[in-house]
Amino acid sequence: MRVLILGGDGYLGWPTAMHLSARGHEVAVADNYLRRNLCQELQLEFLHDVPDLTKRADLWQSISGHKIAVHVGDLNDWDFVAEVFQKSSPQAIIHYAEQPAAPYSMLDRQAATLTLSNNLMVTANVIFAVREYCPDAHIVKLGTMGEYGTPNIDIEEGWLEVAHKGRQQKFLYPRQASSLYHTTKIMDTDLLWFYVRTWGLRVTDLMQGPVYGMFTDESSQDDRLLPFFNYDEIFGTVLNRFVVQAVAGYPLTVYGKGGQTRGYLNIKDTLNCVRLAVENPADPGELRIFNQFTETFSVNDLAEKVREAGKQVQLNVQIEHIENPRTEAEEHYYNPVHTGLLDLGLTPHYLSEEVLLDMIEFVMRHKSSIQTDQMLRNVKWN
Ligand code: USQ
């Protein structure tokens, strides 16, 4: 299939591009390096250097023989969007092109409005481009499990059958996010649902939990093909941060009580989930929603796992409960359904000690570049 990946430079975008390309899909990527530029503005360094998209695509072609077309530009700019869609004529569009960090969205007014305008405008441009240039194409949108929040009832896969005063109807599952970033994802879902109903678009919305890891089959031949890896408070996700903290001898930063529970997945499973969605498209007029994670853990569970794995390589890992900078439930019920992707054929890679030791070993090789002043940047929700 011809697949266009928006946000193709990202932590997930680039590995997805290689993964689909290796399986014979014709891949094009677009990105404006927003994440790199925001990190630079905030003086946040990746764990290791990552070549730009053009260099990575060249390297990938020399190793695999597969070409990935690169478009560098801003998807808020309609002229650029129109050009990319016309040149790539996609059958599937994978939309990752968003400001992806909850803490960034809570930094200040400028960061909040950038998150709102970028995420919603790019989603709107994608919808209009599909309508204009490829109305039968399938949009695969990265949503987030954070759209649901942590309700005191089971979380269904996107939809809830509601019975009220003797009548019933299926609605989008109630959503209540705990950051502005997560709220923009709810708004994206609403936009997509509106245009699915109105224009008959085909859409899959993947409600993904926090991702961990860096290794994929395609990057195994050259470290320069690895995705960038943030461990700072703003763009780093919790397990990646804990592994870097463990190697740096920095106490693991458990926020508050540490009972916050989320659905996690290995980066390899993200790629497989997205591929399964692309290869099994939604129908016209269907908004299909999958909950994309493989197992649930509390923050305390993750900290303990990292401490145990660290012991195997003589790391004396300390765990510290620090004041929670976020407004979120620290003890709560959490039971989300996640059968849709398993039914499509997903074979999960679970979080084993071996997986953690591979991550620790990689981070140890880059230990000298860890900057511990990035661990906490004092972004507060209140
Ligand atoms: N946490 C800590 N200590 C840390 C970092 C995080 O206790 O040093 C806690 C957070 O308070 C939260 C949990 O760990 O309760 C997860 O935090 P996170 O930073 O790993 O994930 P989050 O901010 O929720 O966002 C990440 C991705 C986002 C994706 C989301 C999925 O950045 O793009 O949408 O995971 S989910 O969390 O299911 O909404």
Side-chain angles (χ1 to χ4, degrees):
M1 288 170 84
R2 290 185 304 280
V3 184
L4 172 61
I5 302 177
L6 308 175
D9 186 50
Y11 172 58
L12 303 176
W14 175 248
T16 306
M18 290 191 294
H19 182 75
L20 294 178
S21 160
R23 277 148 195 82
H25 296 293
E26 194 182 314
V27 177
V29 294
D31 207 296
N32 64 346
Y33 298 127
L34 175 70
R35 166 78 158 266
R36 291 185 193 243
N37 293 335
L38 295 180
C39 285
Q40 214 167 10
E41 272 172 32
L42 296 167
Q43 294 171 312
L44 304 170
E45 301 276 339
F46 301 145
L47 182 66
H48 56 92
D49 288 339
V50 179
D52 68 26
L53 265 180
T54 310
K55 291 195 187 106
R56 289 201 275 185
D58 287 346
L59 182 59
W60 172 245
Q61 189 168 2
S62 69
I63 289 173
S64 70
H66 297 294
K67 184 175 164 51
I68 293 177
V70 172
H71 303 275
V72 175
D74 186 352
L75 294 159
N76 288 287
D77 170 4
W78 175 254
D79 291 342
F80 175 69
V81 175
E83 183 191 317
V84 170
F85 273 73
Q86 281 171 295
K87 278 193 179 153
S88 54
S89 179
Q91 293 161 297
I93 298 102
I94 301 172
H95 175 14
Y96 289 120
E98 303 218 339
Q99 188 301 96
Y104 181 81
S105 74
M106 304 300 287
L107 194 59
D108 56 24
R109 183 182 58 78
Q110 282 92 337
T113 51
L114 181 149
T115 304
L116 264 173
S117 62
N118 181 81
N119 293 6
L120 294 176
M121 195 56 72
V122 173
T123 300
N125 278 346
V126 170
I127 291 168
F128 277 83
V130 167
R131 159 88 157 175
E132 182 139 354
Y133 301 113
C134 47
D136 195 43
H138 175 209
I139 301 174
V140 177
K141 168 70 172 53
L142 250 285
T144 170
M145 284 298 292
E147 293 185 35
Y148 304 120
T150 52
N152 199 30
I153 58 171
D154 288 1
I155 296 173
E156 301 303 323
E157 214 143 6
W159 302 92
L160 187 68
E161 193 73 45
V162 176
H164 181 64
K165 295 186 178 172
R167 306 177 69 81
Q168 58 187 60
Q169 188 176 333
K170 202 166 85 172
F171 291 95
L172 282 171
Y173 189 94
R175 291 148 310 142
Q176 41 187 4
S178 65
S179 82
L180 178 68
Y181 151 74
H182 289 99
T183 302
T184 63
K185 295 273 182 170
I186 294 176
M187 295 168 166
D188 284 338
T189 301
D190 282 330
L191 266 182
L192 289 163
W193 178 216
F194 172 69
Y195 285 109
V196 163
R197 296 196 310 273
T198 309
W199 289 346
L201 301 184
R202 317 167 173 257
V203 178
T204 299
D205 204 345
L206 298 169
M207 302 299 166
Q208 183 170 251
V211 180
Y212 59 84
M214 68 288 269
F215 304 114
T216 64
D217 294 344
E218 294 74 28
S219 61
S220 61
Q221 298 177 60
D222 193 314
D223 276 3
R224 288 171 298 170
L225 293 175
L226 287 167
F228 51 63
F229 193 86
N230 283 95
Y231 57 91
D232 58 90
E233 176 188 333
I234 296 175
F235 288 101
T237 49
V238 62
L239 186 56
N240 290 351
R241 274 166 64 67
F242 283 0
V243 169
V244 175
Q245 291 169 350
V247 170
Y250 193 97
L252 307 191
T253 52
V254 173
Y255 295 163
K257 293 182 182 148
Q260 303 92 308
T261 302
R262 303 286 184 267
Y264 290 84
L265 74 166
N266 189 307
I267 189 168
K268 291 180 179 175
D269 288 336
T270 294
L271 309 192
N272 282 319
C273 290
V274 171
R275 182 179 52 77
L276 286 166
V278 165
E279 292 175 352
N280 300 278
D283 290 330
E286 182 189 13
L287 171 62
R288 183 177 59 165
I289 300 179
F290 294 127
N291 293 345
Q292 183 162 310
F293 67 93
T294 58
E295 45 194 338
T296 58
F297 299 110
S298 69
V299 176
N300 288 329
D301 294 334
L302 295 177
E304 272 313 318
K305 280 180 182 291
V306 172
R307 173 149 66 187
E308 284 307 307
K311 279 186 194 158
Q312 304 298 321
V313 286
Q314 284 70 55
L315 290 176
N316 178 18
V317 178
Q318 305 295 312
I319 297 174
E320 201 176 341
H321 288 258
I322 61 175
E323 189 189 333
N324 195 341
R326 307 185 182 194
T327 304
E328 62 182 356
E330 294 176 3
E331 286 170 317
H332 57 88
Y333 180 75
Y334 201 63
N335 190 28
V337 171
H338 58 117
T339 52
L341 287 158
L342 295 170
D343 291 346
L344 274 189
L346 177 68
T347 313
H349 296 79
Y350 293 112
L351 180 60
S352 62
E353 190 158 275
E354 198 189 338
V355 167
L356 282 171
L357 286 170
D358 283 348
M359 288 174 70
I360 289 173
E361 189 272 327
F362 177 80
V363 174
M364 277 175 156
R365 280 197 269 138
H366 295 274
K367 185 175 175 184
S368 61
S369 53
I370 300 174
Q371 300 185 6
T372 49
D373 64 344
Q374 296 194 176
M375 298 302 179
L376 293 174
R377 280 296 180 90
N378 208 24
V379 182
K380 293 216 169 3
W381 262 225
N382 278 312

